[in-house]
Amino acid sequence: MSKALIVGGGIAGLATAIAFDRRGWEVEVLERAPELTAVGAGISLWSNALRALDELGVGERIRERAVEDAAAGIRDARGRWLSRTDTAALRARHGSPVVLHRADLLEILRAAAPESAVRTGISVTEARADGSVLHSAGVSRGDVVVGADGIHSVVRRAVCGVVEPRYSGYTAWRMVVTPTEPLGDLGESWGRGERFGFAALADGRVYCFAAANIPAGAPDGGLPELRRRFRDWHAPIPALLAAADADTVLRNDIYELPPLDTYVSGRLVLVGDAAHAMTPNLGQGACQALEDAVVLARVVATGGKLSAYDAERRPRTRMIADRSARIGTVAQLSTPLLAAARDVVMRAMPASAQARALAPILDWTPGEPGTVQRPRTGGDVRSHTNT
């Protein structure tokens, strides 16, 4: 039996393990953490990701734990609409995106992966093109070695050499809050160099996320800083922050990878953030990792070469990463004149332009060799700082 050795037990790694297991391969997952846990934040899954999850056999379980993403669009700091979401058209043409807690997604993926496949507390120190991996418990080998070990990937170093992530120019905060007043319309709000968004979770809580232009590594003022930054923004943003627990607020500087020349070398192959860590402005980071898992297992298990995976995935993920970066640049404009011009343009943008922009991302379907993935139409442009 052929074996897939997977470095990393996060969303990308577990999804890849499930995909190969469903294709009849032996799988082994090496995870450095002592146990599989997920931080207390939400995650959005668009229709392309839900198709991948259906292919992995867990789509229905995900939907049972999720709630339809009811984001109504983008507003300014005073609550005036910049862009409205045509949710009916989105639902009809692509299916609705959903939101759930990241821990729920990880739990479902872990339950679907082979129980004995995941080895925790294993730190990988080196990966080699011949399929061998050196780690804290010895050596493991695979017919395919999958680097699902994130933006600071050890496997990527063996594939591409040293590639340094680059700072996007802004940091992000995430938290889950129990609301104390009615929410009204969900979605994001853009100011000058700052953003705030919120989405409902299935248990009645609310996932909140914020972003601000800050130098990399700047001191974190925590919840008091967030309350100061957004105290004059429209309701219910101040109330959500007032209800937040300081101990649960997560802050991460946002980094991305520059374009890689390849995702493969010998028996090594990259998926998820190890291959294409991107800014979270399109909510596609995890979605693309799920696509990676399905495509990689399909290509390899049906006799294709890893180069075919690279040819299929690298252009698509690069396109999405580039679009996400551009949205972040526009959303984080801090100069008053430029931010005001952006707002005028957004209010004037027709829904048809938004639909055309999202369609190439949401059109993805899991294809078998020789099939044609015919494009559908529809969609809208939204920013989601919550991958």
Side-chain angles (χ1 to χ4, degrees):
M1 179 185 292
S2 298
K3 177 181 177 181
L5 177 60
I6 301 161
V7 181
I11 293 171
L14 290 176
T16 303
I18 297 166
F20 272 98
D21 178 63
R22 288 170 65 85
R23 296 280 183 170
W25 280 49
E26 178 187 357
V27 295
E28 179 181 358
V29 180
L30 305 177
E31 168 55 44
R32 68 179 180 178
E35 59 181 344
L36 297 181
T37 59
V39 296
I43 188 169
S44 61
L45 297 173
W46 290 82
S47 51
N48 54 313
L50 291 172
R51 292 186 202 103
L53 289 163
D54 286 335
E55 188 76 4
L56 297 176
V58 297
E60 285 308 308
R61 275 172 277 177
I62 294 293
R63 293 178 179 90
E64 289 170 0
R65 302 279 283 272
V67 63
E68 182 177 325
D69 187 349
I74 300 172
R75 289 178 280 187
D76 65 15
R78 295 171 59 185
R80 298 170 300 185
W81 289 105
L82 301 176
S83 174
R84 296 297 298 263
T85 300
D86 188 344
T87 54
L90 182 66
R91 186 184 303 112
R93 296 167 183 170
H94 294 288
S96 298
V98 301
V99 180
L100 75 162
H101 201 286
R102 186 177 291 265
D104 290 338
L105 173 59
L106 195 69
E107 178 186 328
I108 291 169
L109 293 176
R110 178 63 186 93
E115 185 174 356
S116 61
V118 181
R119 301 175 62 189
T120 56
I122 305 293
S123 297
V124 171
T125 56
E126 183 181 354
R128 297 173 177 171
D130 65 359
S132 59
V133 170
L134 283 61
H135 53 73
S136 55
V139 179
S140 296
R141 292 178 173 82
D143 297 284
V144 173
V145 175
V146 183
D149 47 343
I151 194 170
H152 300 294
S153 170
V154 172
V155 179
R156 185 178 66 243
R157 189 166 63 235
V159 173
C160 304
V162 177
V163 179
E164 294 294 341
R166 58 194 182 195
Y167 184 51
S168 65
Y170 45 93
T171 197
W173 294 266
R174 293 169 292 161
M175 70 210 82
V176 175
V177 173
T178 300
T180 57
E181 63 178 52
L183 292 180
D185 289 319
L186 306 176
E188 272 194 40
S189 299
W190 293 6
R192 296 199 296 267
E194 296 175 330
R195 281 179 282 170
F196 194 98
F198 50 98
L201 296 174
D203 60 5
R205 293 183 297 169
V206 176
Y207 168 49
C208 300
F209 48 93
N213 295 348
I214 293 177
D220 182 12
L223 187 56
E225 179 183 354
L226 280 176
R227 289 170 174 165
R228 176 186 60 79
R229 284 181 175 274
F230 297 101
R231 64 189 174 194
D232 295 325
W233 286 44
H234 67 82
I237 292 173
L240 288 170
L241 290 172
D245 181 348
D247 293 335
T248 65
V249 177
L250 306 170
R251 177 189 160 188
N252 299 99
D253 288 343
I254 302 300
Y255 284 84
E256 61 183 346
L257 282 179
L260 302 184
D261 293 332
T262 181
Y263 289 172
V264 305
S265 176
R267 296 187 178 189
L268 307 179
V269 57
L270 305 174
V271 299
D273 282 353
H276 46 70
M278 61 185 69
T279 59
N281 303 298
L282 279 171
Q284 280 289 322
C287 299
Q288 291 308 300
L290 294 167
E291 287 187 18
D292 289 344
V294 168
V295 172
L296 176 60
R298 181 250 292 166
V299 167
V300 175
T302 54
K305 297 181 179 180
L306 291 180
S307 57
Y309 164 82
D310 181 68
E312 183 170 342
R313 294 303 300 159
R314 193 154 47 92
R316 173 169 169 78
T317 53
R318 187 69 257 152
M319 176 269 291
I320 293 171
D322 288 344
R323 289 190 181 195
S324 184
R326 288 196 296 270
I327 289 175
T329 298
V330 173
Q332 294 298 136
L333 286 173
S334 58
T335 304
L337 184 60
L338 292 177
R342 173 202 65 195
D343 293 354
V344 170
V345 171
M346 289 183 65
R347 289 190 176 99
M349 185 179 296
S352 59
Q354 298 175 342
R356 287 194 298 270
L358 253 189
I361 299 172
L362 303 186
D363 279 343
W364 181 88
T365 59
E368 293 293 340
T371 62
V372 177
Q373 297 183 16
R374 301 189 182 280
R376 295 189 298 275
T377 60
D380 68 341
V381 175
R382 289 193 281 175
S383 165
H384 276 274
T385 314
N386 57 333
T387 62

